[in-house]
Amino acid sequence: MAISTHILSGCGNSEPAANQPKTEATAVADGYDDNFVVEAQSFADLQLLRYQVPGFNSLTAQQKKLAYYLYEAALCGRDILYDQKSKDGIMLRKTIEAMYSTYNGDKNSEDWKKLETYFGRVWFSNGNYHHYSNEKFVPECSWEFFSTVLKASDASRLPMDAGETPDAFLARIKPTVYDAKYKPKLVDLRPNVDNIVGSANNFYEGVTQKEVEAFYATFDTAANAPSWGLNSKVVKENGKLVEKVWKSGGMYGAAIDKIIYWLQKAVTVAEDAEQKKALELLVKYYQTGDLKTFDDYSIAWVQNTASRLDAVNGFIEVYMDAIGKKASYESTVSLKDMEETKRIEAIAKEAQWFEDNSPIMKEHKKEKVKGITAKAITVIVESGDASPSTPIGINLPNAEWIRAEHGSKSVSLTNIIHSYNVASAKGGLAAEFAVNDTVLQRLKKYGSLASDLHTDMHECIGHASGKLNPGVATTDVTLKNYASCLEEARADLVGLYYIYDQKLVDLGVMPSLEVGMAGYDNYMMNGLMTQLTRLKPGEQLEEAHMRNRALVARWAYEKGKKDNVVAMITRDGKTYVQVNDYGKLRQLFGELLKEIQRIKSEGDYNGGKNLVENYGVKVDAKLHKEILARFAPLGIKPYRGFIQPKLVPVMNGEEITDVKIEYPDNFFAQMLEYGKNYAFLPVKN
């Protein structure tokens, strides 16, 4: 599972809180250049940032080679995500690449600026569905202007069918580009509808949700069964459902063969035998598409703990599938942050204590928590569904039985967090929404540490905790379209419960319980109010992480009303969130954690549905309007993402003698470069 980013974090499952000056918790680590410019371009609701990779230059020549090979493997899968998001995704991207790079008309007009913003949004979202809300977006310029630009662009670069004219091409693509009602939602999570038919993603074609569920119901569901369906598209052929597997020689084979090529090179320079074994199994998985091999790889990857360099590469997270079976492509290449790892390791070593002292029911606790490898990492490059919008924490593998029997890896992305902190220090969100100066000063002093600790607890302890009852199927089967939201809420609640626990003070990872208070202030403010800055008027909550935060905060607020645990107060026409009793709020978090763990352990679909629909979806229109009005003057973009560093090999003939790292500052130029160098799939797959 990955922790998403958002403005003014809910204690750690996100971008760190705004207005954070450099304190002991947020101090610049060795290797960072204080003069490095983090902010780059901004457009629409998006801010592009840059991140440094401290420690890269001190790697050995062999490690740099390994990093470069993994970097190339990561980027070679980029096409896959575009096609997974939409059958028209690669076509649309190639179209805008041609228009942006070959149109020679007036690029100072308002219409061009609007079209350029659309191009940027498509690149940022890896398609024309908002990367967070999943809603389709269309250009703000007219169709006539779009058509004029396309016709004035190099026709040889346009992804037209053989013999197709530009006019015919325009007529064919108009619904994809301009009709907001044509395939309007990437992921449709509404209750009581066919979530597969309603979703625009390219995981299924010509099939219904009932058909898909019946199809997978015939698969082996033993406790250690593979995650069936993870790496395939389901279609109907001759009246029967079949899987088009994503593998060499199968769907996406051209891109996967490139990934395999670079992974095989990485095998030759692996740091140790364990890493070599894991990489070889990953290659075998891509070659065969065998999900049992993927499980073998995942186990080997978990057991590879000594290597400095690491990579996630594959079909990982299922947020993009409404029923939680199909995984989107992503990759993160990293090196271990030795100093920051000390904090997260201290937490991981106490995993059994946290499990034993959890407020969940005894029968839902793990008798023995298997090894959790916890570390802080410095990201080298991200690709696919991890870029440009990135998580700040990752816990893998996702398979429950592998977690239970073999453990998991939990990581915090420290250089990503560092860039967020630098950028957030210039904002004014906390000053506008904090209920009083005491809360504001506490956020300034401890907000980043609370965020870091919540991330650590969410990933390291939260996702690794609890167990299913005997005979209960995995959550994609039992909780369906609510599985992702409930799992994120469960992990969030573990983090919230423990960041206000003396145990973390005793471990030496935080100075006092005041850190937990900062975390509670932040989470409740965000879940009840400030995350709504990401929505347009009239919208409801759709994205799993936003639903999770609203569910947790609203449930705690409502259940604590009789004791005035949390209050919504109005002062000078402005609404604020005020925590009145931090101890009782912790108890409420514990009660909700117990209930959500019960829902997961028992596979209680209706219980999960009621929680999400009653607390995690609806938006108070009047409060939303107020928040948007207060947010607008701050000049802060509600979403942030990253331009990726670039690795450049130094060659001596055919031999790599060194690898240099560069930090591009133009997002549009990087997207064109990626489109030129990593376009391996046809328009139709």
Side-chain angles (χ1 to χ4, degrees), residues 514-535:
E514 201 172 0
V515 176
M517 295 168 71
Y520 283 14
D521 290 329
N522 198 8
Y523 197 96
M524 295 302 293
M525 181 164 54
N526 184 63
L528 292 171
M529 291 179 57
T530 54
Q531 73 167 354
L532 298 180
T533 59
R534 294 185 150 189
L535 300 180

Side-chain angles (χ1 to χ4, degrees), residues 566-615:
V566 179
M568 300 282 283
I569 66 171
T570 301
R571 186 174 63 241
D572 300 326
K574 294 182 178 182
T575 306
Y576 298 91
V577 176
Q578 180 170 292
V579 179
N580 294 315
D581 192 323
Y582 294 91
K584 286 186 178 180
L585 181 55
R586 182 183 187 235
Q587 291 176 16
L588 289 169
F589 287 147
E591 290 174 18
L592 182 56
L593 172 58
K594 180 181 179 181
E595 172 61 7
I596 292 181
Q597 182 62 60
R598 183 201 64 78
I599 287 169
K600 178 179 179 179
S601 296
E602 297 178 0
D604 181 2
Y605 174 81
N606 287 328
K609 175 184 177 180
N610 289 336
L611 273 182
V612 176
E613 293 295 334
N614 288 331
Y615 297 100

Side-chain angles (χ1 to χ4, degrees), residues 274-293:
E274 289 76 18
Q275 187 179 62
K276 181 179 180 181
K277 177 183 177 182
L279 289 170
E280 287 175 336
L281 284 167
L282 181 56
V283 168
K284 182 180 178 183
Y285 162 62
Y286 272 132
Q287 289 172 331
T288 64
D290 183 358
L291 286 168
K292 292 183 179 179
T293 302

Side-chain angles (χ1 to χ4, degrees), residues 28-34 36 52-57 378 418 663:
V28 174
D30 290 341
Y32 287 110
D33 178 0
D34 285 339
F36 183 84
Q52 301 174 73
V53 188
F56 183 84
N57 292 328
T378 300
H418 172 76
Y663 299 104

Side-chain angles (χ1 to χ4, degrees), residues 119-134:
F119 294 162
R121 294 186 72 190
V122 171
W123 281 319
F124 191 96
S125 295
N126 299 289
N128 59 339
Y129 294 90
H130 195 280
H131 75 286
Y132 215 77
S133 72
N134 293 321

Side-chain angles (χ1 to χ4, degrees), residues 254-269:
I256 289 172
D257 284 343
K258 294 291 185 180
I259 297 172
I260 290 171
Y261 171 83
W262 290 106
L263 289 176
Q264 288 175 328
K265 283 186 169 291
V267 167
T268 67
V269 290

Side-chain angles (χ1 to χ4, degrees), residues 454-475:
H454 187 266
T455 299
D456 295 344
M457 296 298 302
H458 173 112
E459 295 291 1
C460 185
I461 305 300
H463 284 309
S465 67
K467 66 179 183 180
L468 300 177
N469 287 358
V472 174
T474 52
T475 57

